[in-house]
Structures are given as C-alpha cells and as structure tokens.
Amino acid sequence: MIYSVVHRFALTALTVLPLLGGTACNGHTADEPDLTIDDTDNITFTDPSVRNPTTTQTISRFKVWAVNGNHILMDGTIVTRQGINTWTYSPTVKWPEEGSVDFYAVSPEDIPQEGFHPLYYRNIHFKSDGATDLLVSVRMGARQTSGRLRLNFCHTLARVTVSLSSSLSDTIVQLKRVSLLDIANDGNFHIPQKTTMQDVHDDDITDAWTVYNMNSTSCDVFYTEDYALLTDSPLTPSGKAEFFIPVKFSPLVMEGYLHGSAIEIAYRLYDRKTGKKLWPDDNTHNQLIPEGLPEWGAAYFSLLDNTPGGRWKAGREYHYDIKITGPASLPGSRAKSMPGITIKEKDR
C-alpha cells in the first residue's frame, strides 16, 4: 500500500524590522533584510543578524520596483547583500517629497519578468523548472515617515517531495523514476495589489496564478541512469524538482489511454532468491509501461483524488510517503495488489 503525508510549509518572509526580527507570511519567525532610511534620505537596506535560509537558499539578491504615483523610482533594481547589515544597489534613490511609494520585489532576481511593468502590467510569466522557488513581496503606500518598512516575501509555489520504501523481504524492488504528470509547467502570476503581510491567506497567493496548459506535461522528481534499490528505510531523493505552480488537478481516467494529473512510479520487481524478473511481465497492460522505459512498469496515483481539496496551494509542502507492496494495476482496478494513498495534513 502507498501512504502519503501532506504537510504545510511556512511562508518565508523577507521583512524590514531588524530590531524585532522577521515574521513569515504564515506567522512563522524568519530573519529578513530591512528597508529603512538614512540621514541623506536615501532608501537603504540593512540586515542586522544572521538570516535563516529560504526553501532553496538564503536570499542574497532580489529585484525591486518602486513606484511613486506615475513615476518609477526603481525599475527592476538589483539589491545585493554585501555582508551583515549591508545591502547595496545603484543608483541610490531618495524618498519623494510628496506621495507614497509602492514596492514590488521578486526573488530570485534572474527570473525573467516578461511583459512586467510596474505601472501597467503586473504579471510575471513563469516557466517552472521544478528547482526554482519563486518569492514575491508587495509593500503598498510606504512613506518616508513610515520608518522601517516590512517586505514580506511569500512563496508563490507549492513544494512537493517524496519518500519511497518497500517492506518486501523476498522481492528486489528497483526504482527508476518518479514523475508528476499533467501539471502546469508555466503560467502567469498576477502580483497582488496589496501589501503581503503575515496574515495573508494562502488562497490569496494561490488564486493569483493563471495556468496555460496541463495536458501532456510532466516533471521528474527522481530519475537515475541505473536504478535505486528500495528497502524498508525510506529513500528521500532531493536536488531535482521540488517547486510547482499550484493548480487544480484533472481526473486520472482511462479513455483508450491513461491521462490526468498523477504521480507515476517507474519500478520493477525481481525474485530475491532466483533473480527472475517478476514484474512487469508479458501480461502487463501496455498502459502500465512508462513512456521511454519499455523494460519497466509503472504505478499511477491520482493527484485529484489523493490531495486535500484536489489541488496544491501556494506556500504549502506536500510530502508523499510511498510504499511499494507488489505489482501495480490500472487505476480503478479491483486487483488486490493495487496500492492506495492515505493523506494526513498538519502544520510544518
């Protein structure tokens, strides 16, 4: 049987209150850089203490736009950490004498902002490679008299991880690939027109996404040129795809061919004593042979049916703990060997 555990992960925030520390978008503490002003009235950045890491790495650079009415004060300016308490950018910008300033910030700074314009078009066209965690911060209506200004960077993507194991004592289980099928590889993120704060609801960020296509898309969470052996100690692959656009899943159905949002596990089984290949065999349905891997079999598990709410959400982690117990069957089959998924969800 396959068991899946889903956890939430804290929305890491990038804040601007060094004396108080940082507060994550979901209420968890994080240490983050600060936007403040100095004696020359320049907009400056400081960071008074050691930072906690983001999901992928400590934020050391980000891109920011600053708008005062119809005037762009910062136009995709790169802000870079130079050391503890030291953030730099060029050219420096002074606070305007009148009106407030709206800030829009993105990390990593090298994500293409195709078509983004802080006055007219506030969308980011994002192509997911599974390895990049897109963080966005908005601070509306800031003024020089506001003092230190909070920039809460929120995770806009869902994080997906897996663990795999097998308790079969008389069978060798070889794992080749773990893939996610019929998910979104690209979409538009519509930057919110309100300050991202610690009490921003997850749905506000999740619903900011518009996706283009989910059909025939796939991403490998795990792949090896040889194979990995599964034991009763969970294998937790890392360093490949983890971050995905939050989407509503399509149903996994068999209509001449198998399609829909699913987790695909490519593996095969051998008798431990004789070395004989047990599965897949000549009787294995062709829809259980994964694309590009003719010598392997695959199990498919519906993401729609086995994920709370039938979707991923931004700023949450979904960890699937998978246990291989034997050959796979087609989804919907009543075969005794067909694994199931049990979902649990809790705060991380």
Side-chain angles (χ1 to χ4, degrees):
M1 180 173 290
I2 289 183
Y3 297 91
S4 175
V5 183
V6 180
H7 298 282
R8 298 186 61 179
F9 76 104
L11 300 178
T12 302
L14 187 60
T15 70
V16 290
L17 272 179
L19 299 181
L20 298 178
T23 305
C25 294
N26 204 32
H28 295 260
T29 299
D31 175 27
E32 296 142 356
D34 300 316
L35 176 63
T36 186
I37 57 176
D38 60 15
D39 293 338
T40 62
D41 295 335
N42 291 334
I43 297 175
T44 62
F45 295 83
T46 63
D47 187 6
S49 57
V50 179
R51 289 181 41 76
N52 291 329
T54 64
T55 305
T56 53
Q57 61 181 353
T58 297
I59 293 180
S60 59
R61 290 163 61 90
F62 60 91
K63 184 177 290 187
V64 63
W65 290 261
V67 180
N68 170 233
N70 290 324
H71 301 286
I72 300 176
L73 304 179
M74 294 182 177
D75 190 6
T77 301
I78 302 297
V79 180
T80 304
R81 178 192 297 278
Q82 296 297 313
I84 297 178
N85 299 334
T86 307
W87 291 81
T88 62
Y89 67 92
S90 181
T92 56
V93 177
K94 294 184 180 297
W95 286 94
E97 295 182 359
E98 297 181 357
S100 61
V101 181
D102 298 333
F103 292 89
Y104 306 92
V106 176
S107 176
E109 88 288 347
D110 57 353
I111 293 176
Q113 283 85 42
E114 302 170 4
F116 179 86
H117 192 285
L119 292 178
Y120 308 111
Y121 309 107
R122 299 186 178 95
N123 299 329
I124 294 177
H125 181 204
F126 180 75
K127 295 183 179 180
S128 175
D129 59 7
T132 302
D133 193 13
L134 175 64
L135 295 93
V136 169
S137 175
V138 177
R139 174 63 164 93
M140 304 293 288
R143 297 176 181 270
Q144 182 175 358
T145 54
S146 300
R148 297 184 176 96
L149 305 177
R150 185 177 295 263
L151 291 179
N152 288 318
F153 270 83
C154 294
H155 294 286
T156 68
L157 304 175
R159 188 183 185 197
V160 180
T161 57
V162 298
S163 296
L164 303 106
S165 64
S166 176
S167 58
L168 296 173
S169 60
D170 56 353
T171 305
I172 295 173
V173 182
Q174 297 178 349
L175 175 70
K176 182 70 172 180
R177 186 175 71 191
V178 180
S179 303
L180 301 174
L181 308 182
D182 282 14
I183 55 174
N185 286 338
D186 69 307
N188 263 350
F189 181 76
H190 309 274
I191 296 181
Q193 294 304 290
K194 62 180 181 180
T195 299
T196 50
M197 299 179 64
Q198 63 190 48
D199 58 351
V200 169
H201 195 275
D202 294 332
D203 289 346
D204 292 339
I205 303 300
T206 299
D207 294 341
W209 281 100
T210 298
V211 300
Y212 297 109
N213 178 50
M214 292 173 56
N215 295 328
S216 301
T217 58
S218 66
C219 193
D220 293 344
V221 176
F222 170 81
Y223 177 82
T224 177
E225 292 293 339
D226 195 5
Y227 56 81
L229 292 176
L230 295 186
T231 67
D232 55 2
S233 297
L235 169 68
T236 305
S238 61
K240 205 164 177 62
E242 291 186 31
F243 306 104
F244 298 92
I245 296 173
V247 292
K248 295 180 179 179
F249 302 122
S250 59
L252 180 62
V253 295
M254 183 71 177
E255 297 175 337
Y257 67 99
L258 197 62
H259 63 93
S261 301
I263 304 174
E264 177 196 75
I265 314 297
Y267 67 101
R268 56 192 181 190
L269 306 174
Y270 288 85
D271 185 276
R272 189 174 297 278
K273 291 183 178 180
T274 66
K276 179 183 178 181
K277 185 178 180 180
L278 302 176
W279 188 84
D281 57 24
D282 293 340
N283 297 319
T284 301
H285 196 287
N286 62 357
Q287 289 297 304
L288 295 178
I289 305 300
E291 183 177 355
L293 299 175
E295 301 300 318
W296 296 78
Y300 296 90
F301 308 99
S302 170
L303 286 168
L304 175 67
D305 296 340
N306 298 296
T307 304
R311 69 171 307 163
W312 291 326
K313 289 190 174 185
R316 293 192 179 185
E317 177 178 348
Y318 298 83
H319 181 75
Y320 297 88
D321 186 13
I322 301 166
K323 181 175 290 186
I324 300 297
T325 59
S329 301
L330 286 171
S333 169
R334 295 185 179 182
K336 294 181 180 180
S337 61
M338 186 61 192
I341 297 180
T342 301
I343 299 289
K344 295 180 181 179
E345 184 175 16
K346 65 178 182 180
D347 289 338
R348 184 179 178 183

